[in-house]
């Protein structure tokens, strides 16, 4: 389902067809995943860091203080749209674990410190987050280890939110010893066994397979469909 640039981006006067969408995240893995998905759908993209280097500037990272993925994605998309003057796509994502009442949820990236920012690197945080989840689920039976990644994407221009979509990716948290496994992806991928077989972690999936199955892939496809529907409506 390849669409041409004008077809998708000329959808509304708010988004000039000649300009790419800025992928408003500091997470290089997300930029890579989103560029692959949206590029494949004919939507040209540029990463935030790339834009910073072409403009020789640094954008300010907004604080994500919302209690839902929707609020946080909108905060990021609007803030970067206002700073860059371009249409920006931000996602807020995380892991919801049934046995933990939906935690870590919106604090997924800093679960090891209860949501507080620290001086830890991304890799250190990922390892500590995974260790905390595995520790908290010790002794929890298989049927209560269900979990899902959630991704909410918001597209905004400097005057406001244009679109909002959501995608999910079902699985279960493996048991300590069985996981962590796999070297692809990031975050909780090494401990997340993919439904319905639960044989592979999402860190063992090839990038294109993860994009096909993932919450981010589902949200990106929903975004492309919404963009197309808008362009058809004129
Ligand atoms: P930005 O805010 O700059 O986009 P971030 O990594 O902090 O980057 P989020 O606030 O959306 O992103 O936090 C999402 C966290 O949820 C992320 O750090 C991971 O721990 C986890 N997560 C989200 N998507 C994931 C995926 O595809 N695989 C593994 N973990 C994921």
């Amino acid at each position: 389902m390849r669409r041409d640039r004008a077809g998708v981006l000329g959808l509304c006067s708010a988004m000039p067809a000649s300009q790419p969408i800025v992928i408003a995240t500091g997470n290089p893995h997300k930029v890579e995943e989103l560029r692959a998905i949206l590029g494949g759908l004919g939507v040209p993209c540029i990463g935030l860091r790339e834009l910073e280097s072409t403009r020789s500037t640094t954008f300010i990272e907004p604080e994500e203080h919302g209690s839902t993925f929707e609020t946080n994605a909108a905060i990021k998309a609007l803030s970067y749209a206002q700073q860059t003057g371009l249409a920006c796509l931000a996602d807020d994502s995380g892991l919801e674990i049934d046995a933990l009442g939906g935690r870590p949820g919106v604090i997924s990236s800093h679960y090891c410190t209860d949501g507080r920012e620290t001086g830890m690197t991304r890799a250190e945080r990922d390892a500590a987050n995974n260790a905390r989840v595995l520790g908290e689920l010790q002794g929890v039976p298989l049927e209560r280890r269900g979990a899902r990644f959630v991704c909410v994407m918001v597209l905004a221009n400097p005057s406001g939110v244009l679109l909002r979509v959501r995608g999910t990716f079902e699985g279960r948290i493996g048991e300590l010893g069985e996981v962590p496994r796999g070297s692809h992806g990031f975050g909780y991928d090494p401990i997340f066994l993919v439904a319905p077989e639960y044989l592979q972690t999402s860190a063992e999936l090839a990038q294109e397979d993860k994009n096909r199955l993932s919450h981010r892939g589902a949200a990106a496809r929903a975004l492309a469909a919404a963009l197309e529907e808008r362009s058809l409506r004129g």
Side-chain angles (χ1 to χ4, degrees):
M1 134 160 115
R2 190 168 182 96
R3 298 178 179 89
D4 69 32
R5 179 185 175 121
V8 176
L9 287 189
L11 66 147
C12 53
S13 53
M15 286 174 58
S18 57
Q19 284 174 344
I21 289 179
V22 179
I23 302 178
T25 173
N27 181 335
H29 294 280
K30 283 190 187 175
V31 175
E32 215 176 284
E33 286 187 10
L34 280 173
R35 202 201 287 274
I37 298 165
L38 292 173
L41 296 169
V43 181
C45 302
I46 181 168
L48 200 59
R49 297 290 169 257
E50 218 179 308
L51 188 65
E52 283 180 333
S53 69
T54 53
R55 291 191 182 175
S56 303
T57 190
T58 306
F59 303 116
I60 297 160
E61 189 176 345
E63 253 186 65
E64 295 168 41
H65 45 67
S67 58
T68 64
F69 295 119
E70 280 76 4
T71 310
N72 285 336
I75 290 171
K76 286 192 264 189
L78 268 173
S79 165
Y80 287 118
Q82 283 160 2
Q83 293 182 65
T84 61
L86 298 172
C88 287
L89 177 67
D91 88 327
D92 196 40
S93 53
L95 180 68
E96 292 180 346
I97 301 173
D98 296 339
L100 301 181
R103 276 187 299 138
V106 289
I107 62 162
S108 289
S109 55
H110 293 84
Y111 190 47
C112 56
T113 51
D114 289 318
R116 283 187 310 277
E117 287 282 349
T118 61
M120 291 164 95
T121 64
R122 209 176 270 280
E124 286 167 345
R125 265 193 284 134
D126 286 351
N129 289 336
N130 287 342
R132 177 169 179 182
V133 165
L134 290 177
E136 288 180 337
L137 292 188
Q138 240 172 348
V140 173
L142 279 192
E143 62 276 14
R144 294 187 50 233
R145 301 181 78 95
R148 73 210 46 79
F149 284 119
V150 177
C151 172
V152 172
M153 282 184 189
V154 169
L155 181 67
N157 70 7
S159 350
V161 167
L162 302 171
L163 280 174
R164 193 180 66 189
V165 290
R166 174 180 260 257
T168 55
F169 182 20
E170 295 290 331
R172 138 176 122 206
I173 305 303
E175 291 178 1
L176 189 60
E178 177 188 27
V179 297
R181 248 168 41 208
S183 56
H184 301 295
F186 65 101
Y188 298 93
D189 283 328
I191 64 167
F192 183 83
L193 294 167
V194 179
E197 288 94 1
Y198 308 107
L199 294 174
Q200 280 184 303
T201 67
S202 44
E204 292 176 306
L205 295 176
Q207 185 66 65
E208 62 267 30
D209 292 329
K210 182 173 175 196
N211 292 345
R212 193 168 42 77
L213 298 170
S214 80
H215 49 314
R216 203 162 293 108
R221 284 187 294 276
L223 179 85
L227 288 174
E228 183 168 55
E229 195 188 317
R230 276 199 176 198
S231 74
L232 291 176
R233 275 196 268 130

